[in-house]
Amino acid sequence: MAWIYLVIAGIFEVVWAFYMKQSEGFSKLVPTVITFVTMAISFGLLSISMRSLPLGTAYTIWTGIGAVGAFIVGVLVLGEQANAMRIVAAALIVIGLTMMKLSTPA
């Protein structure tokens, strides 16, 4: 169950990162509120997953999901650049996350 909480926490991290961008430096009310609500959910689920997962594993997976997810949302939704080097960098993160998961018991 901890892994499920962790993946959902990572998804909420992507959501709050997107809305933080939309808030334009916290100058827009609705995106700012969404940012803080989804941030609280993300942190809460991360903390629950850390009850049984090692700190290094949980935090690495959480930030990795957020990083790769934000990259994908940036490219697909915000029209950000997706050159070969950025795609390789995201793939390397995914490889690292996979290795972290495979090396962690539970």
Coordinates of all heavy atoms in Angstrom, one line a residue:
M1 N 0.8 -1.2 0.0 CA 0.0 0.0 0.0 C 0.9 1.3 0.0 O 0.5 2.3 -0.6 CB -0.9 0.0 1.2 CG -2.1 0.9 1.1 SD -3.2 0.3 -0.2 CE -4.3 1.6 -0.1
A2 N 2.0 1.2 0.6 CA 2.9 2.3 0.7 C 3.3 2.8 -0.7 O 3.4 4.0 -0.9 CB 4.2 2.0 1.5
W3 N 3.6 1.9 -1.6 CA 3.9 2.2 -3.0 C 2.8 3.0 -3.7 O 3.1 3.9 -4.4 CB 4.4 1.0 -3.7 CG 5.7 0.5 -3.3 CD1 6.0 -0.6 -2.5 CD2 7.0 1.1 -3.6 NE1 7.3 -0.7 -2.3 CE2 8.0 0.3 -3.0 CE3 7.4 2.2 -4.4 CZ2 9.3 0.6 -3.1 CZ3 8.7 2.5 -4.5 CH2 9.7 1.7 -3.8
I4 N 1.6 2.6 -3.4 CA 0.4 3.2 -4.0 C 0.4 4.7 -3.5 O 0.2 5.6 -4.3 CB -0.9 2.4 -3.8 CG1 -0.8 1.1 -4.5 CG2 -2.1 3.2 -4.2 CD1 -1.9 0.1 -4.1
Y5 N 0.5 4.8 -2.2 CA 0.5 6.2 -1.7 C 1.6 7.0 -2.2 O 1.4 8.2 -2.5 CB 0.6 6.1 -0.1 CG -0.6 5.6 0.6 CD1 -0.5 4.7 1.6 CD2 -1.9 6.1 0.3 CE1 -1.6 4.2 2.3 CE2 -3.0 5.6 1.0 CZ -2.8 4.7 2.0 OH -3.9 4.2 2.7
L6 N 2.7 6.4 -2.4 CA 3.9 7.2 -2.9 C 3.7 7.6 -4.4 O 4.0 8.7 -4.7 CB 5.1 6.3 -2.8 CG 6.4 7.0 -3.3 CD1 6.7 8.2 -2.4 CD2 7.6 6.0 -3.1
V7 N 3.1 6.7 -5.2 CA 2.9 7.1 -6.6 C 1.8 8.2 -6.7 O 1.9 9.2 -7.4 CB 2.4 5.9 -7.4 CG1 1.9 6.3 -8.8 CG2 3.6 4.9 -7.6
I8 N 0.8 8.1 -5.9 CA -0.3 9.1 -5.9 C 0.3 10.4 -5.4 O 0.0 11.5 -5.9 CB -1.5 8.7 -5.0 CG1 -2.2 7.5 -5.7 CG2 -2.5 9.8 -4.9 CD1 -3.2 6.8 -4.8
A9 N 1.2 10.4 -4.4 CA 1.9 11.6 -3.9 C 2.7 12.2 -5.0 O 2.7 13.5 -5.1 CB 2.8 11.2 -2.7
G10 N 3.3 11.4 -5.8 CA 4.1 11.9 -6.9 C 3.2 12.6 -7.9 O 3.6 13.6 -8.5
I11 N 2.1 12.0 -8.2 CA 1.2 12.6 -9.2 C 0.7 14.0 -8.6 O 0.6 14.9 -9.4 CB 0.0 11.7 -9.4 CG1 0.5 10.4 -10.2 CG2 -1.1 12.4 -10.2 CD1 -0.5 9.3 -10.3
F12 N 0.4 14.0 -7.3 CA 0.0 15.3 -6.8 C 1.1 16.3 -6.8 O 0.9 17.5 -6.9 CB -0.6 15.2 -5.4 CG -2.0 14.8 -5.3 CD1 -2.5 13.5 -5.1 CD2 -3.0 15.8 -5.5 CE1 -3.8 13.2 -5.1 CE2 -4.3 15.6 -5.5 CZ -4.8 14.3 -5.3
E13 N 2.3 15.9 -6.8 CA 3.5 16.8 -6.9 C 3.5 17.4 -8.3 O 3.7 18.6 -8.4 CB 4.8 16.1 -6.6 CG 6.0 17.0 -6.7 CD 7.3 16.4 -6.5 OE1 7.4 15.2 -6.5 OE2 8.3 17.2 -6.4
V14 N 3.2 16.6 -9.3 CA 3.1 17.2 -10.7 C 2.0 18.2 -10.7 O 2.1 19.3 -11.3 CB 2.9 16.0 -11.7 CG1 2.7 16.6 -13.1 CG2 4.0 15.1 -11.7
V15 N 0.8 17.9 -10.1 CA -0.3 18.8 -10.1 C 0.1 20.1 -9.5 O -0.2 21.2 -10.0 CB -1.5 18.2 -9.5 CG1 -2.7 19.2 -9.3 CG2 -2.0 17.0 -10.3
W16 N 0.7 20.1 -8.3 CA 1.0 21.3 -7.6 C 2.1 22.1 -8.3 O 2.0 23.4 -8.4 CB 1.3 21.2 -6.1 CG 2.5 20.5 -5.6 CD1 2.5 19.3 -5.0 CD2 3.8 21.1 -5.5 NE1 3.8 19.1 -4.6 CE2 4.6 20.1 -4.9 CE3 4.4 22.2 -5.9 CZ2 6.0 20.3 -4.6 CZ3 5.8 22.4 -5.7 CH2 6.6 21.4 -5.1
A17 N 3.0 21.4 -9.0 CA 4.0 22.1 -9.7 C 3.4 22.9 -10.9 O 3.7 24.0 -11.2 CB 5.1 21.2 -10.2
F18 N 2.5 22.2 -11.6 CA 1.8 22.8 -12.7 C 1.0 24.1 -12.3 O 1.1 25.1 -12.9 CB 0.8 21.8 -13.4 CG -0.1 22.5 -14.4 CD1 0.4 22.8 -15.7 CD2 -1.4 22.8 -14.2 CE1 -0.4 23.4 -16.7 CE2 -2.2 23.4 -15.1 CZ -1.7 23.7 -16.4
Y19 N 0.3 23.9 -11.2 CA -0.5 25.1 -10.7 C 0.3 26.2 -10.1 O 0.0 27.3 -10.1 CB -1.6 24.6 -9.8 CG -2.8 24.1 -10.6 CD1 -3.1 22.8 -10.8 CD2 -3.7 25.0 -11.2 CE1 -4.1 22.3 -11.5 CE2 -4.8 24.6 -12.0 CZ -4.9 23.2 -12.1 OH -6.0 22.8 -12.9
M20 N 1.5 25.8 -9.6 CA 2.4 26.9 -9.1 C 2.8 27.7 -10.3 O 2.9 28.9 -10.2 CB 3.6 26.2 -8.5 CG 4.6 27.3 -7.9 SD 6.1 26.6 -7.2 CE 5.4 25.8 -5.7
K21 N 3.1 27.1 -11.4 CA 3.5 27.8 -12.7 C 2.3 28.7 -13.1 O 2.5 29.9 -13.5 CB 3.8 26.8 -13.8 CG 4.0 27.4 -15.1 CD 5.4 28.0 -15.3 CE 5.7 28.4 -16.7 NZ 6.8 29.2 -16.8
Q22 N 1.1 28.1 -13.0 CA -0.1 28.9 -13.4 C -0.4 30.1 -12.5 O -1.1 31.0 -12.9 CB -1.3 28.0 -13.5 CG -1.2 26.8 -14.5 CD -0.9 27.3 -15.9 OE1 -1.6 28.2 -16.4 NE2 0.2 26.9 -16.5
S23 N 0.1 30.0 -11.2 CA -0.2 31.0 -10.3 C 0.5 32.3 -10.5 O 0.3 33.4 -9.9 CB 0.1 30.5 -8.8 OG 1.5 30.5 -8.6
E24 N 1.5 32.2 -11.4 CA 2.4 33.4 -11.8 C 2.9 34.1 -10.5 O 2.7 35.2 -10.2 CB 1.6 34.4 -12.6 CG 1.2 33.8 -14.0 CD 0.5 34.8 -14.9 OE1 0.5 36.0 -14.7 OE2 0.0 34.3 -15.9
G25 N 3.7 33.3 -9.8 CA 4.3 33.8 -8.5 C 3.3 34.0 -7.4 O 3.5 35.0 -6.6
F26 N 2.3 33.2 -7.3 CA 1.3 33.3 -6.3 C 0.5 34.6 -6.4 O -0.1 35.1 -5.5 CB 1.8 33.1 -4.9 CG 2.5 31.8 -4.7 CD1 3.8 31.7 -4.2 CD2 1.8 30.6 -5.0 CE1 4.4 30.5 -4.0 CE2 2.5 29.4 -4.8 CZ 3.8 29.3 -4.3
S27 N 0.4 35.1 -7.6 CA -0.4 36.3 -7.8 C -1.8 36.1 -8.3 O -2.6 37.0 -8.4 CB 0.3 37.2 -8.9 OG 0.3 36.6 -10.1
K28 N -2.2 34.8 -8.6 CA -3.5 34.4 -9.0 C -4.1 33.5 -7.9 O -3.5 32.5 -7.6 CB -3.5 33.7 -10.4 CG -3.1 34.6 -11.5 CD -3.2 33.9 -12.8 CE -2.9 34.8 -14.0 NZ -3.0 34.0 -15.3
L29 N -5.2 33.9 -7.4 CA -5.8 33.2 -6.3 C -6.1 31.7 -6.5 O -5.7 30.9 -5.7 CB -7.1 33.9 -5.8 CG -7.8 33.3 -4.6 CD1 -6.8 33.3 -3.4 CD2 -9.1 34.0 -4.3
V30 N -6.9 31.4 -7.5 CA -7.3 30.0 -7.7 C -6.1 29.0 -7.9 O -6.0 28.0 -7.2 CB -8.4 29.9 -8.8 CG1 -8.7 28.4 -9.1 CG2 -9.7 30.6 -8.4
P31 N -5.2 29.3 -8.8 CA -4.1 28.4 -8.9 C -3.2 28.4 -7.7 O -2.7 27.3 -7.4 CB -3.3 29.0 -10.1 CG -4.2 29.8 -10.9 CD -5.2 30.4 -9.9
T32 N -3.1 29.5 -6.9 CA -2.4 29.5 -5.7 C -3.0 28.5 -4.7 O -2.3 27.7 -4.0 CB -2.3 30.9 -5.1 OG1 -1.6 31.7 -6.0 CG2 -1.6 30.9 -3.7
V33 N -4.3 28.6 -4.5 CA -5.1 27.7 -3.6 C -4.9 26.2 -4.0 O -4.6 25.4 -3.2 CB -6.6 28.1 -3.5 CG1 -7.4 27.1 -2.7 CG2 -6.7 29.5 -2.9
I34 N -5.1 26.0 -5.3 CA -4.9 24.6 -5.8 C -3.5 24.1 -5.5 O -3.3 23.0 -5.1 CB -5.2 24.5 -7.3 CG1 -6.7 24.8 -7.5 CG2 -4.8 23.1 -7.9 CD1 -7.1 24.9 -9.0
T35 N -2.5 25.0 -5.7 CA -1.1 24.6 -5.4 C -0.9 24.2 -4.0 O -0.4 23.1 -3.7 CB -0.1 25.8 -5.7 OG1 -0.2 26.2 -7.0 CG2 1.3 25.5 -5.3
F36 N -1.4 25.0 -3.0 CA -1.2 24.6 -1.6 C -2.0 23.4 -1.2 O -1.5 22.6 -0.4 CB -1.5 25.9 -0.7 CG -0.4 26.9 -0.8 CD1 -0.5 28.1 -1.4 CD2 0.9 26.6 -0.3 CE1 0.5 29.0 -1.5 CE2 1.9 27.5 -0.4 CZ 1.7 28.7 -1.0
V37 N -3.2 23.3 -1.7 CA -4.0 22.1 -1.3 C -3.4 20.8 -1.9 O -3.2 19.8 -1.1 CB -5.5 22.2 -1.8 CG1 -6.3 20.9 -1.7 CG2 -6.2 23.4 -1.1
T38 N -3.0 20.8 -3.1 CA -2.4 19.6 -3.7 C -1.0 19.4 -3.1 O -0.6 18.2 -3.0 CB -2.3 19.7 -5.2 OG1 -1.7 20.9 -5.7 CG2 -3.7 19.6 -5.8
M39 N -0.3 20.4 -2.7 CA 1.0 20.3 -2.0 C 0.8 19.6 -0.7 O 1.6 18.6 -0.4 CB 1.6 21.7 -1.8 CG 3.1 21.6 -1.4 SD 3.7 23.3 -1.2 CE 3.9 23.8 -2.9
A40 N -0.2 20.0 0.0 CA -0.5 19.3 1.3 C -0.8 17.9 1.2 O -0.4 17.0 1.9 CB -1.6 20.1 2.1
I41 N -1.7 17.6 0.1 CA -2.0 16.2 -0.1 C -0.8 15.4 -0.5 O -0.5 14.3 0.0 CB -3.1 16.1 -1.2 CG1 -4.4 16.7 -0.8 CG2 -3.3 14.6 -1.7 CD1 -5.4 16.9 -1.9
S42 N 0.1 15.9 -1.3 CA 1.3 15.3 -1.8 C 2.2 15.0 -0.6 O 2.7 13.8 -0.4 CB 2.0 16.1 -2.8 OG 3.2 15.5 -3.3
F43 N 2.5 16.0 0.2 CA 3.3 15.8 1.4 C 2.7 14.8 2.4 O 3.4 14.0 3.0 CB 3.6 17.1 2.1 CG 4.7 17.9 1.5 CD1 4.4 19.0 0.7 CD2 6.0 17.6 1.8 CE1 5.4 19.7 0.1 CE2 7.0 18.4 1.3 CZ 6.7 19.4 0.4
G44 N 1.4 14.9 2.6 CA 0.7 13.9 3.5 C 0.9 12.5 3.0 O 1.2 11.6 3.8
L45 N 0.6 12.2 1.7 CA 0.8 10.9 1.2 C 2.2 10.4 1.2 O 2.5 9.2 1.5 CB 0.2 10.8 -0.2 CG -1.3 10.9 -0.3 CD1 -1.8 11.1 -1.7 CD2 -2.0 9.8 0.4
L46 N 3.1 11.3 1.0 CA 4.6 11.0 1.1 C 4.9 10.5 2.5 O 5.6 9.5 2.7 CB 5.4 12.2 0.7 CG 7.0 12.0 0.9 CD1 7.5 10.8 0.0 CD2 7.7 13.3 0.6
S47 N 4.4 11.3 3.5 CA 4.7 10.9 4.9 C 4.1 9.6 5.3 O 4.8 8.8 6.0 CB 4.3 12.0 5.8 OG 2.9 12.1 5.9
I48 N 2.9 9.3 4.8 CA 2.3 8.0 5.0 C 3.2 6.9 4.4 O 3.4 5.8 5.1 CB 0.9 7.9 4.5 CG1 0.0 8.9 5.4 CG2 0.3 6.5 4.6 CD1 -1.4 9.1 4.8
S49 N 3.6 7.1 3.2 CA 4.4 6.0 2.5 C 5.8 5.8 3.3 O 6.3 4.7 3.3 CB 4.7 6.4 1.1 OG 5.7 7.4 0.9
M50 N 6.3 6.9 3.9 CA 7.5 6.8 4.6 C 7.4 6.0 5.9 O 8.4 5.7 6.6 CB 8.1 8.1 4.9 CG 8.7 8.8 3.8 SD 9.4 10.4 4.3 CE 10.2 10.9 2.8
R51 N 6.2 5.6 6.3 CA 6.1 4.8 7.5 C 6.7 3.4 7.3 O 7.3 2.8 8.2 CB 4.6 4.6 7.9 CG 3.9 5.8 8.4 CD 2.4 5.5 8.7 NE 1.7 6.7 9.1 CZ 0.4 6.8 9.1 NH1 -0.3 5.8 8.7 NH2 -0.2 7.9 9.5
S52 N 6.7 2.9 6.1 CA 7.3 1.6 5.8 C 8.4 1.6 4.7 O 9.1 0.6 4.6 CB 6.2 0.6 5.4 OG 5.5 1.1 4.2
L53 N 8.5 2.7 4.0 CA 9.6 2.7 3.0 C 10.7 3.5 3.5 O 10.6 4.5 4.3 CB 9.0 3.4 1.7 CG 7.9 2.7 0.9 CD1 7.5 3.5 -0.2 CD2 8.4 1.3 0.4
P54 N 11.9 3.1 3.1 CA 13.1 3.9 3.5 C 13.1 5.3 3.0 O 12.5 5.6 1.9 CB 14.3 3.2 2.8 CG 13.8 1.8 2.4 CD 12.3 2.0 2.2
L55 N 13.6 6.3 3.7 CA 13.6 7.7 3.4 C 14.2 7.9 2.0 O 13.5 8.6 1.2 CB 14.4 8.5 4.4 CG 14.8 9.9 4.0 CD1 13.5 10.8 4.0 CD2 15.8 10.5 5.0
G56 N 15.3 7.4 1.8 CA 16.0 7.6 0.5 C 15.2 7.1 -0.7 O 15.1 7.8 -1.7
T57 N 14.6 6.0 -0.5 CA 13.7 5.4 -1.6 C 12.5 6.3 -1.8 O 12.2 6.7 -3.0 CB 13.3 4.0 -1.3 OG1 14.5 3.2 -1.2 CG2 12.4 3.4 -2.4
A58 N 11.8 6.5 -0.8 CA 10.5 7.3 -0.9 C 10.8 8.7 -1.5 O 10.1 9.1 -2.4 CB 9.8 7.4 0.5
Y59 N 11.7 9.4 -1.0 CA 12.0 10.7 -1.4 C 12.5 10.7 -2.9 O 12.1 11.6 -3.7 CB 13.0 11.4 -0.5 CG 13.1 12.9 -0.8 CD1 12.1 13.8 -0.4 CD2 14.2 13.4 -1.5 CE1 12.1 15.1 -0.7 CE2 14.2 14.8 -1.8 CZ 13.2 15.6 -1.4 OH 13.3 17.0 -1.7
T60 N 13.4 9.8 -3.2 CA 13.9 9.7 -4.6 C 12.7 9.4 -5.6 O 12.6 10.1 -6.6 CB 14.9 8.6 -4.7 OG1 16.0 9.0 -3.8 CG2 15.5 8.5 -6.1
I61 N 11.9 8.5 -5.3 CA 10.8 8.1 -6.2 C 9.8 9.3 -6.3 O 9.4 9.7 -7.4 CB 10.0 6.9 -5.7 CG1 11.0 5.7 -5.6 CG2 8.8 6.6 -6.5 CD1 11.4 5.1 -7.0
W62 N 9.5 9.9 -5.2 CA 8.6 11.1 -5.1 C 9.1 12.2 -6.0 O 8.3 12.7 -6.9 CB 8.3 11.5 -3.7 CG 7.4 12.7 -3.5 CD1 6.1 12.7 -3.6 CD2 7.8 14.0 -3.0 NE1 5.6 13.9 -3.3 CE2 6.6 14.7 -2.9 CE3 9.0 14.6 -2.7 CZ2 6.6 16.0 -2.5 CZ3 9.0 15.9 -2.3 CH2 7.8 16.6 -2.2
T63 N 10.3 12.6 -5.8 CA 10.9 13.7 -6.6 C 11.0 13.3 -8.1 O 10.8 14.1 -8.9 CB 12.2 14.2 -6.0 OG1 13.1 13.1 -6.0 CG2 12.0 14.8 -4.7
G64 N 11.4 12.1 -8.3 CA 11.5 11.6 -9.7 C 10.2 11.6 -10.4 O 10.2 12.1 -11.6
I65 N 9.1 11.2 -9.8 CA 7.8 11.2 -10.4 C 7.5 12.7 -10.7 O 7.0 13.0 -11.8 CB 6.7 10.6 -9.6 CG1 6.9 9.1 -9.5 CG2 5.3 10.9 -10.1 CD1 6.1 8.4 -8.4
G66 N 7.7 13.5 -9.8 CA 7.5 15.0 -9.9 C 8.3 15.6 -11.1 O 7.8 16.3 -11.9
A67 N 9.6 15.2 -11.1 CA 10.4 15.8 -12.2 C 10.0 15.3 -13.6 O 9.9 16.2 -14.5 CB 11.9 15.4 -11.9
V68 N 9.9 14.0 -13.7 CA 9.5 13.5 -15.0 C 8.1 13.9 -15.4 O 7.8 14.3 -16.6 CB 9.7 12.0 -15.1 CG1 9.2 11.4 -16.4 CG2 11.2 11.6 -14.9
G69 N 7.2 13.9 -14.4 CA 5.8 14.3 -14.7 C 5.7 15.7 -15.1 O 5.0 16.1 -16.0
A70 N 6.5 16.6 -14.4 CA 6.5 18.0 -14.7 C 7.1 18.3 -16.1 O 6.6 19.1 -16.8 CB 7.2 18.8 -13.7
F71 N 8.1 17.5 -16.4 CA 8.7 17.6 -17.8 C 7.6 17.3 -18.8 O 7.4 18.0 -19.8 CB 9.9 16.7 -17.9 CG 10.4 16.5 -19.3 CD1 10.9 17.5 -20.0 CD2 10.2 15.3 -19.9 CE1 11.4 17.4 -21.3 CE2 10.7 15.1 -21.2 CZ 11.2 16.1 -21.9
I72 N 6.9 16.2 -18.6 CA 5.9 15.7 -19.6 C 4.8 16.7 -19.7 O 4.4 17.1 -20.8 CB 5.4 14.3 -19.2 CG1 6.5 13.3 -19.4 CG2 4.1 13.9 -20.0 CD1 6.2 11.9 -18.8
V73 N 4.3 17.2 -18.6 CA 3.2 18.2 -18.6 C 3.7 19.5 -19.3 O 3.0 20.1 -20.1 CB 2.7 18.5 -17.2 CG1 1.8 19.7 -17.1 CG2 1.9 17.3 -16.6
G74 N 4.9 19.9 -19.0 CA 5.5 21.1 -19.6 C 5.5 21.0 -21.1 O 5.2 21.9 -21.8
V75 N 5.9 19.8 -21.6 CA 6.0 19.6 -23.1 C 4.6 19.5 -23.7 O 4.3 20.2 -24.7 CB 6.8 18.3 -23.4 CG1 6.7 17.9 -24.8 CG2 8.3 18.6 -23.0
L76 N 3.7 18.6 -23.1 CA 2.4 18.4 -23.7 C 1.4 19.5 -23.5 O 0.6 19.7 -24.4 CB 1.9 17.0 -23.1 CG 2.7 15.8 -23.5 CD1 2.0 14.5 -22.9 CD2 2.8 15.6 -25.0
V77 N 1.4 20.1 -22.3 CA 0.4 21.1 -22.0 C 0.9 22.5 -22.2 O 0.2 23.4 -22.7 CB -0.1 20.9 -20.5 CG1 -1.1 22.0 -20.2 CG2 -0.7 19.5 -20.3
L78 N 2.1 22.8 -21.8 CA 2.6 24.2 -21.9 C 3.5 24.5 -23.1 O 3.9 25.6 -23.3 CB 3.5 24.5 -20.6 CG 2.7 24.3 -19.3 CD1 3.7 24.5 -18.1 CD2 1.5 25.3 -19.2
G79 N 3.7 23.5 -24.0 CA 4.4 23.7 -25.2 C 5.9 23.9 -25.0 O 6.6 24.5 -25.9
E80 N 6.5 23.4 -23.9 CA 7.9 23.6 -23.7 C 8.7 22.7 -24.6 O 8.2 21.7 -25.2 CB 8.2 23.3 -22.2 CG 7.6 24.2 -21.3 CD 7.8 23.9 -19.8 OE1 8.4 22.9 -19.5 OE2 7.4 24.7 -19.0
Q81 N 10.0 23.0 -24.8 CA 10.8 22.3 -25.7 C 11.1 20.8 -25.3 O 11.3 20.6 -24.1 CB 12.1 23.0 -25.8 CG 13.1 22.4 -26.8 CD 14.4 23.2 -26.9 OE1 14.7 24.0 -26.0 NE2 15.2 23.0 -27.9
A82 N 11.1 19.9 -26.3 CA 11.4 18.5 -26.0 C 12.5 18.1 -26.9 O 12.3 17.4 -27.9 CB 10.2 17.6 -26.1
N83 N 13.7 18.5 -26.7 CA 14.8 18.1 -27.5 C 15.4 16.8 -27.1 O 15.0 16.3 -26.0 CB 15.9 19.2 -27.6 CG 16.5 19.5 -26.3 OD1 16.8 18.6 -25.4 ND2 16.8 20.8 -26.0
A84 N 16.3 16.3 -27.8 CA 16.9 14.9 -27.6 C 17.5 14.9 -26.2 O 17.3 13.9 -25.5 CB 17.8 14.5 -28.7
M85 N 18.3 15.9 -25.8 CA 19.0 15.8 -24.5 C 18.0 15.8 -23.4 O 18.2 15.1 -22.4 CB 20.0 17.0 -24.4 CG 20.9 16.8 -23.2 SD 22.2 18.0 -23.2 CE 23.2 17.6 -24.6
R86 N 17.0 16.6 -23.4 CA 16.0 16.6 -22.4 C 15.3 15.3 -22.2 O 15.0 14.8 -21.1 CB 15.0 17.8 -22.6 CG 15.6 19.1 -22.4 CD 14.6 20.2 -22.5 NE 13.9 20.4 -21.2 CZ 12.7 20.8 -21.1 NH1 11.9 21.1 -22.1 NH2 12.2 20.9 -19.9
I87 N 15.0 14.7 -23.4 CA 14.3 13.4 -23.4 C 15.2 12.3 -22.8 O 14.8 11.5 -22.0 CB 13.8 13.0 -24.8 CG1 12.7 14.0 -25.2 CG2 13.3 11.5 -24.9 CD1 12.3 13.9 -26.7
V88 N 16.5 12.3 -23.2 CA 17.4 11.4 -22.6 C 17.6 11.6 -21.1 O 17.6 10.6 -20.3 CB 18.8 11.5 -23.3 CG1 19.9 10.7 -22.5 CG2 18.7 11.0 -24.7
A89 N 17.6 12.8 -20.7 CA 17.7 13.1 -19.2 C 16.5 12.6 -18.5 O 16.7 12.0 -17.4 CB 17.8 14.6 -19.0
A90 N 15.3 12.8 -19.0 CA 14.1 12.2 -18.4 C 14.2 10.7 -18.3 O 13.8 10.1 -17.3 CB 12.9 12.7 -19.1
A91 N 14.6 10.1 -19.4 CA 14.8 8.6 -19.5 C 15.7 8.1 -18.4 O 15.5 7.1 -17.8 CB 15.2 8.2 -20.9
L92 N 16.8 8.8 -18.2 CA 17.8 8.4 -17.2 C 17.2 8.5 -15.8 O 17.5 7.7 -15.0 CB 19.1 9.3 -17.3 CG 19.9 9.0 -18.5 CD1 21.0 10.1 -18.6 CD2 20.5 7.6 -18.5
I93 N 16.4 9.5 -15.6 CA 15.7 9.6 -14.3 C 14.8 8.4 -14.1 O 14.8 7.8 -13.0 CB 14.9 10.9 -14.2 CG1 15.8 12.1 -14.1 CG2 14.0 10.9 -12.9 CD1 15.1 13.5 -14.3
V94 N 14.0 8.0 -15.1 CA 13.1 6.9 -15.0 C 14.0 5.6 -14.8 O 13.6 4.7 -14.0 CB 12.3 6.7 -16.3 CG1 11.5 5.4 -16.3 CG2 11.3 7.9 -16.4
I95 N 15.1 5.4 -15.4 CA 16.0 4.3 -15.2 C 16.4 4.3 -13.7 O 16.4 3.2 -13.1 CB 17.2 4.3 -16.2 CG1 16.7 4.0 -17.6 CG2 18.2 3.3 -15.7 CD1 17.7 4.3 -18.7
G96 N 16.8 5.4 -13.2 CA 17.2 5.5 -11.8 C 16.1 5.2 -10.9 O 16.3 4.5 -9.9
L97 N 14.9 5.6 -11.2 CA 13.8 5.3 -10.3 C 13.5 3.8 -10.3 O 13.2 3.2 -9.3 CB 12.5 6.1 -10.8 CG 12.6 7.6 -10.7 CD1 11.3 8.2 -11.3 CD2 12.8 8.1 -9.3
T98 N 13.6 3.2 -11.5 CA 13.3 1.8 -11.6 C 14.4 1.0 -10.8 O 14.0 0.1 -10.1 CB 13.4 1.4 -13.1 OG1 12.4 2.1 -13.8 CG2 13.1 -0.1 -13.2
M99 N 15.6 1.4 -10.9 CA 16.7 0.8 -10.1 C 16.4 0.9 -8.6 O 16.7 0.0 -7.8 CB 18.0 1.3 -10.5 CG 18.4 0.9 -11.9 SD 20.0 1.7 -12.5 CE 21.1 0.9 -11.4
M100 N 16.0 2.1 -8.2 CA 15.7 2.4 -6.8 C 14.6 1.5 -6.3 O 14.7 0.9 -5.2 CB 15.4 3.8 -6.6 CG 15.2 4.2 -5.1 SD 16.7 4.1 -4.1 CE 17.5 5.6 -4.7
K101 N 13.5 1.3 -7.1 CA 12.4 0.5 -6.7 C 12.8 -1.0 -6.6 O 12.5 -1.7 -5.7 CB 11.3 0.6 -7.8 CG 10.2 -0.4 -7.7 CD 9.4 -0.4 -6.5 CE 8.2 -1.3 -6.5 NZ 8.3 -2.5 -5.7
L102 N 13.6 -1.4 -7.6 CA 14.0 -2.8 -7.6 C 15.0 -3.2 -6.5 O 15.1 -4.3 -6.1 CB 14.7 -3.2 -9.0 CG 13.7 -3.1 -10.2 CD1 14.5 -3.4 -11.5 CD2 12.6 -4.2 -10.0
S103 N 15.7 -2.2 -6.0 CA 16.7 -2.4 -4.9 C 16.1 -2.3 -3.5 O 16.8 -2.5 -2.5 CB 17.8 -1.4 -5.1 OG 17.4 -0.1 -4.8
T104 N 14.8 -2.0 -3.4 CA 14.1 -1.7 -2.2 C 13.2 -2.9 -1.8 O 12.3 -3.1 -2.6 CB 13.4 -0.4 -2.2 OG1 14.3 0.6 -2.5 CG2 12.7 -0.1 -0.8
P105 N 13.4 -3.5 -0.7 CA 12.4 -4.6 -0.3 C 11.1 -4.0 0.1 O 11.0 -2.8 0.6 CB 13.1 -5.2 0.9 CG 14.1 -4.2 1.4 CD 14.4 -3.4 0.3
A106 N 10.0 -4.7 -0.1 CA 8.7 -4.3 0.4 C 7.7 -4.6 -0.7 O 7.3 -4.4 -1.6 CB 8.6 -2.9 0.8

